[in-house]
Amino acid sequence: MSSDIDVPPAGVDEPAQRTSDRGAATRTALLNAARDVFCEAGFAQAAVTDIVARAGASVGSLYHHFNGKADLYLTLFDEFQARQQERTREAITTVRDAGETDPMRQFLAGANAYLDGSLGEREVARLFISGDGPPGFDRVMRKRLKRWARRNAALFHTDDGGVDEALVIVLTGAMAGAVSEVVQGDDEDASRRLADEMLAIVATIRNPRTEQR
């Protein structure tokens, strides 16, 4: 005798799965709403009530998923940086797989990908360099910059196996400044041209100590 009733596979708890899916959807909606409200109003002026209203959620659901407004902001920052790191990793891997061995060209490939990501998410990138963040966010930014510098350092080694620290500091600082400048403009084409011009200048940077060897 046939039946039209679907029986879930053994071990699958459908109500629990639906609850989990709803929770994930609510979390995503809250993050998207927070991003939009932060970008429009800034962190300091953003209200939790505005965020939950835009997300179609409740204040209680926000505090179920996050510790508050600052936690939303920091989560958005961490997720943006994770996307940026993946973009740069893929770009460097691609040029390496194509046979590129010059550290500077590898760095430039990653830097270009990072700038592309910043331009592609201009409003979010602008938010994080605006200076309008939760208390202590400046320390988070400094820590992130140091991590970025350490990743860059892996590309530049001296003849004795050490790290060309001066060059890494200059390049990392130059790129941080480039990101800050290109995301401020409202003309996407002009920002892209500026990014290309900055990368062309960065490409000329060399450590004079290395050049003299």
Side-chain angles (χ1 to χ4, degrees):
M1 179 176 176
S2 64
S3 172
D4 294 330
I5 299 175
D6 292 328
V7 178
V12 175
D13 186 340
E14 285 193 328
Q17 181 63 47
R18 287 196 295 271
T19 299
S20 177
D21 290 344
R22 285 197 299 271
T26 299
R27 183 181 186 278
T28 298
L30 286 165
L31 282 171
N32 289 340
R35 177 199 62 210
D36 293 343
V37 172
F38 289 150
C39 288
E40 292 169 8
F43 175 80
Q45 296 300 317
V48 165
T49 51
D50 292 335
I51 293 171
V52 296
R54 187 168 300 203
S58 66
V59 173
S61 65
L62 186 151
Y63 284 100
H64 173 73
H65 291 282
F66 302 97
N67 292 329
K69 189 170 74 167
D71 192 21
L72 280 164
Y73 187 98
L74 293 172
T75 300
L76 286 168
F77 177 71
D78 286 341
E79 292 189 355
F80 171 68
Q81 290 298 336
R83 292 191 297 275
Q84 289 288 73
Q85 185 173 341
E86 181 60 18
R87 288 171 180 133
T88 58
R89 187 195 65 79
E90 288 182 356
I92 293 173
T93 298
T94 296
V95 296
R96 279 177 173 167
D97 289 347
E100 183 59 72
T101 58
D102 180 27
M104 178 59 80
R105 292 188 182 278
Q106 292 177 5
F107 171 82
L108 290 171
N112 187 62
Y114 195 98
L115 283 171
D116 278 346
S118 297
L119 289 170
E121 300 187 53
R122 180 196 307 269
E123 294 299 322
V124 175
R126 186 183 295 173
L127 170 68
F128 297 132
I129 62 173
S130 67
D132 179 16
F137 184 65
D138 57 334
R139 293 193 299 273
V140 174
M141 285 290 283
R142 287 197 299 271
K143 184 177 180 180
R144 178 67 65 168
L145 190 60
K146 288 180 180 178
R147 289 175 59 185
W148 186 17
R150 286 198 299 270
R151 289 197 298 272
N152 291 338
L155 297 174
F156 298 97
H157 293 285
T158 57
D159 293 340
D160 59 4
V163 173
D164 200 336
E165 186 175 353
L167 180 59
V168 168
I169 292 172
V170 169
L171 290 175
T172 302
M175 284 310 305
V179 170
S180 179
E181 289 298 322
V182 300
V183 301
Q184 298 296 338
D186 294 321
D187 185 326
E188 185 173 347
D189 290 336
S191 294
R192 181 66 262 183
R193 287 194 300 272
L194 179 60
D196 290 341
E197 291 168 2
M198 287 180 171
L199 284 176
I201 293 172
V202 170
T204 68
I205 298 175
R206 292 291 186 274
N207 190 325
R209 293 179 304 165
T210 303
E211 294 295 305
Q212 292 170 5
R213 290 171 186 161

